[in-house]
Each structure stands twice: as C-alpha cells, then as structure tokens.
Amino acid sequence: MRGLRHRHAGTAGAAGVSGRPAAVGACDRAAAAALDAADPLARFAEEFHHPMDVRGGRQIYLCGHSLGLQPVAAATVVEQELRDWRRLAVSGHWSAERPWSTYHERLSGPLATLVGAAPDEVIAMNSLTVNLHLMMVSFFRPSGSRNCILLEKSAFPSDRYAVVSQLRFHGLDPDRHLIEVAPRADESCLRTEDLIDAIERHGERLALVLLPGVQYLTGQALELGAAIATARRCGAGIGLDLAHSIGNIPARLHDWGADFAVWCSYKYLNGGPGTIGGCFVHERHAHATDLPRFAGWWGHDAATRFLMGPDFAPMPGASGWQVSNPPILAAAPLVASLDLFERAGLQRLREKSIGLTGFLQAAIEARLGERAEIITPSAADARGCQLSIRLRRPACEAKRCHELLGAAGIVGDWREPDILRLAPAPLYNSYEDVLLAAEALERVA
Ligand SMILES: Cc1ncc(COP(=O)(O)O)c(C=O)c1O
C-alpha cells in the first residue's frame, strides 16, 4: 500500500486518534444536516463572499489551502484606509482610524495567538519567501564542518530554491550541503522516526533544519515539537514554514523553541492574494544585536527612527527584522480576517476542522472505496484541514476528474503529477459542503 493510512507505531501521542466525527455513523444528508445544525460556528460562513458557479449557485469552495475566501468585512477595512488616505494624506500615519505607523503592531497579538507565541516574537511583514531569506541571513550561519541544511525531499519548490540559493551565496555546493529526507519507498508521508533519525545522523553537520508545519502536497502535519527538540539537541538552527498550518492547526512556537518561523496570510488566514506575510523569532534572540541581519529603517528602534541617524539599532524582538514600512492596503483585509479568528476561537475552529475533514474522508471512502486513495494521514493530530487524494486512474483521466469536479462547482486543486487536494475550512465550510463534494467526486471519478 502506497499511502500512510495511520500514524506509524512509535510516534508519540498519536495512537487511536481518529479524524472521524464520533457522533456520525452514516455519511449521508441527514448526518450532515444534523452536524451543521449543531455547529456553533456555522454562522461564520455568512461573513465571507462565496464565489458562484455558472448556474448561479454557491460554489463549494475547498481551496483555502491555496487562497482563502474574502471576508465580507475586508472591503470596509480597506475602504477605511482609502478614506483616511484621501482625507488625511501623510498625517494618516499618526491620525488615521488605525494609524499606519503602528499598523503592523495591531496584527502581532492575533497572529501570536495563532502560532503560540508572545506578541513580541511575531511580526507581519513582506511575503513568505522574502522572510525565509531574511531569516536564513540570521539563522543559517555555516561554520567549519557545520555547514548543511536539512530539508524534506518534496519541500515546496520556493523553499528549496531559497535554500539552494543561500547555500550558493555562502559558497557551498547544494549537492553536498543540502540533505533531503524522503518518505520510505512506496510511502507518501515522512515518518517522524525517520526525520528524527536523519537529524540525529547528520547532527554535527547541520547548520539549519527547515521543516513545514503541514506538508503542502500530502497534508501531513509533522510532529514539530519532537523534531525541533532533536534539532536543538544536535546544535542545529531550526526554522519552520507555516504556510499550510497557520490558521489551520494551533502551534506552540515559543514552547517548542524553534529559532524562527515564516508564513503567508493568503491561505487559511484569508488575507487576500499576495497579502503581507509573517515571521516568528524566538524570544531568546530578541536582543541578539550581534546576529547578522539585512537591516532597514522599519527594524530600527521606533523611538529614534525619525532622528534619521546613520547607525542601525534594531528593535528588540521580531520587529527588529522588519526592513520596510508595511503595505497598509495589503494588510487591511488581514485585520478583518484576524477579527473572525478571534471571535470564532482557534480551539473551536480546530474541533470543527477535525470533524469536517474526518467527515470528508469517511464520505469519500464510503462512496469511492478502492477508486481513491487518501494519502493524508488519518490521525487528526497528523493532519489539518486538507485531504490529498490519488484517484486510481491513469494520470490524465484523474486530472480530467478534477476538471469535472470544478465544472460541478466543487473547487479544489490539482498538484502534479497526481494529487487532488480538498480542504474544508471550518470558518466557511459546512458538513453539507463536504458531503456534496464527496458525492460529486463519486460521480466524476
Ligand atoms: C509551503 C509554501 N511555502 C512557500 C510558499 C511561497 O509563498 P510566497 O509566494 O508568499 O513567498 C508557498 C506558496 O503557496 C507555500 O505553499
């Protein structure tokens, strides 16, 4: 069997944790309706704009792992910033409804809650890959024989490009200094014990370990606490790409002790296409003014920034890694979205997410049986919203099934060579959405 159906024996804390909703036997319309009726978060779906299909019906949008839906309140916040710009021009930096000079600060608290950090450890800035480079400038510091980066084999291409270019920047050869950890032959997901073993085996050579919170292709949530502890024990730096986990799975970045994390805000955070990303820098580096960093005026001590002195004095904490002043119009929709997260509560969202994704899995398995293979782990604590599905058909036919699904108003996406990704988002999807998606998949696959 190709997929990893359950978290493997020997991985901590996972045994017996099923992603399926306990209350549901059959995955039928009645069960979906009952679950929706009992859902305390159901009303949040109305806080989003849902795209329409060609027949004028609401699309069933299961693509929040790529781009989240637009919060209805986003336009109000963006319009407020446009109004303040119109009305106040430059003085909006201090006198706008939400003063622009401190705009990024209002995002830190809600973002910190989502990633399990203190507000000073978190900053909204730039976009993900840019932040990854900035973090590697500080936290990938090859020295002597400790000059390698460990990455998972099917890492998101941008991460790999960034890592390879950083190695070359330091005069290192990616063929020798990039260590990639792959799943076992005929398995889709990385076993925690294999990851830990690889970190330990290469420990003395590792300057940096870079891991995803949720793997973009398989939907697997790695056991970050264990991996981070191992990397630190080996003396390696450790960074995380949380693109697919922020707003999806709660994290405990501070307690886990990662050196840094980076993320984008356009997926589960619903901040809009290309919106401002974010960064976590652990408190232990808050005052590390000796760390090399690529500086800019927005990272300079806010109290003396406008004295326009020649010498850079970074702010303590993650803020000290800022380079430029923040893009207000890009950040505004995120203000609206983070407000929804605060009102819904991450814990309640997570509980609903476990139910929704479990229901989707059960409905697909019941309807498609052997015709589909779900490669995402079944254990709730080994995945987030997303299911990655392989249809047992020749690749071109499977891709055609994905297109037919789209034509039926079900929006997921396709990743080459053969993965269909569907991700019910607890803020705006229902059990009915999930059931209709499984029924449509049964018809087309
Ligand atoms: C896992 C992961 N890492 C990195 C990126 C790149 O993000 P950005 O274009 O914001 O740099 C993406 C984009 O989808 C992603 O999914």
Side-chain angles (χ1 to χ4, degrees):
M1 160 153 146
R2 243 177 132 189
L4 179 71
R5 289 278 168 155
H6 298 279
R7 200 166 243 187
H8 294 276
T11 56
V17 182
S18 165
R20 288 186 183 77
V24 181
C27 291
D28 56 17
R29 299 272 170 119
L35 285 160
D36 283 331
D39 173 12
L41 302 179
R43 68 199 150 85
F44 281 93
E46 298 309 318
E47 307 251 13
F48 289 87
H49 293 288
H50 294 254
M52 295 297 177
D53 64 23
V54 283
R55 290 173 291 280
R58 203 187 241 198
Q59 282 182 353
I60 293 173
Y61 193 81
L62 302 179
C63 213
H65 56 280
S66 182
L67 179 70
L69 291 183
Q70 183 183 132
V72 172
T76 311
V77 185
V78 173
E79 276 159 17
Q80 175 74 51
E81 306 316 335
L82 288 170
R83 202 162 40 245
D84 285 346
W85 179 19
R86 219 161 32 234
R87 232 169 25 97
L88 302 166
V90 70
S91 58
H93 284 299
W94 299 276
S95 312
E97 170 87 14
R98 302 178 187 84
W100 304 327
S101 63
T102 52
Y103 211 84
H104 49 290
E105 291 173 15
R106 72 177 53 247
L107 300 172
S108 294
L111 288 171
T113 303
L114 294 181
V115 298
D120 287 354
E121 291 177 305
V122 165
I123 188 71
M125 62 181 194
N126 312 311
S127 45
L128 191 155
T129 311
V130 172
N131 288 337
L132 181 55
H133 275 298
L134 292 176
M135 290 295 104
M136 285 197 280
V137 165
S138 295
F139 298 106
F140 173 52
R141 298 157 66 207
S143 159
S145 57
R146 191 179 281 285
N147 54 14
C148 296
I149 301 181
L150 184 140
L151 197 64
E152 33 117 26
K153 178 80 181 161
S154 48
F156 191 81
S158 195
D159 290 11
R160 195 176 190 282
Y161 304 154
V163 159
V164 165
S165 66
Q166 288 276 339
L167 286 167
R168 292 209 172 105
F169 178 74
H170 286 279
L172 298 164
D173 176 2
D175 286 341
R176 288 196 298 131
H177 298 103
L178 176 62
I179 297 168
E180 294 174 283
V181 190
R184 293 184 187 182
D186 292 331
E187 292 185 4
S188 301
C189 296
L190 198 53
R191 297 189 187 210
T192 300
E193 62 264 36
D194 291 353
L195 174 62
I196 303 262
D197 178 61
I199 296 173
E200 282 174 344
R201 210 156 12 92
H202 298 286
E204 288 181 359
R205 297 172 62 212
L206 296 180
L208 180 68
V209 175
L210 179 64
L211 297 173
V214 170
Q215 216 284 340
Y216 85 101
L217 201 54
T218 65
Q220 179 190 17
L222 292 175
E223 284 186 61
L224 291 179
I228 291 167
T230 309
R232 292 198 64 206
R233 212 171 38 247
C234 293
I238 167 82
L240 307 172
D241 174 345
L242 299 186
H244 288 261
S245 58
I246 189 163
N248 179 7
I249 298 181
R252 291 193 294 123
L253 291 186
H254 177 84
D255 293 345
W256 290 337
D259 291 298
F260 72 85
V262 292
W263 57 84
C264 53
S265 309
Y266 41 78
K267 299 179 188 292
Y268 297 106
L269 289 192
N270 314 307
T275 188
I276 191 166
C279 209
F280 160 90
V281 179
H282 197 276
E283 187 181 60
R284 65 180 175 276
H285 305 299
H287 298 279
T289 48
D290 56 331
L291 273 179
R293 69 179 92 187
F294 283 172
W297 76 316
W298 221 252
H300 184 90
D301 178 12
T304 58
R305 185 184 291 141
F306 285 93
L307 297 180
M308 302 304 197
D311 296 321
F312 177 69
M315 271 185 283
S319 307
W321 271 266
Q322 292 174 99
V323 178
S324 300
N325 75 106
I328 302 303
L329 294 177
L334 190 56
V335 171
S337 178
L338 290 176
D339 176 58
L340 295 176
F341 274 93
E342 281 200 306
R343 281 163 44 208
L346 191 56
Q347 203 44 49
R348 285 201 304 172
L349 284 166
R350 179 65 179 140
E351 281 161 21
K352 178 174 172 186
S353 170
I354 290 171
L356 277 179
T357 299
F359 197 79
L360 178 60
Q361 173 162 9
I364 290 173
E365 286 173 351
R367 282 169 176 71
L368 282 100
E370 291 299 307
R371 281 187 285 156
E373 179 195 7
I374 296 172
I375 64 166
T376 310
S378 289
D381 64 352
R383 70 183 182 196
C385 299
Q386 176 186 325
L387 289 186
S388 299
I389 304 155
R390 275 201 188 104
L391 299 175
R392 292 190 204 274
R393 280 174 170 250
C396 60
E397 285 180 29
K399 192 168 185 179
R400 178 79 189 127
C401 293
H402 156 65
E403 288 159 5
L404 290 171
L405 207 56
I410 315 290
V411 185
D413 69 5
W414 180 261
R415 282 291 170 268
E416 298 296 343
D418 60 354
I419 302 286
L420 171 65
R421 301 189 300 179
L422 300 176
L427 263 176
Y428 52 74
N429 286 124
S430 64
Y431 287 89
E432 186 191 29
D433 288 347
V434 156
L435 187 71
L436 292 174
E439 288 177 355
L441 189 58
E442 182 185 13
R443 283 195 300 276
V444 301

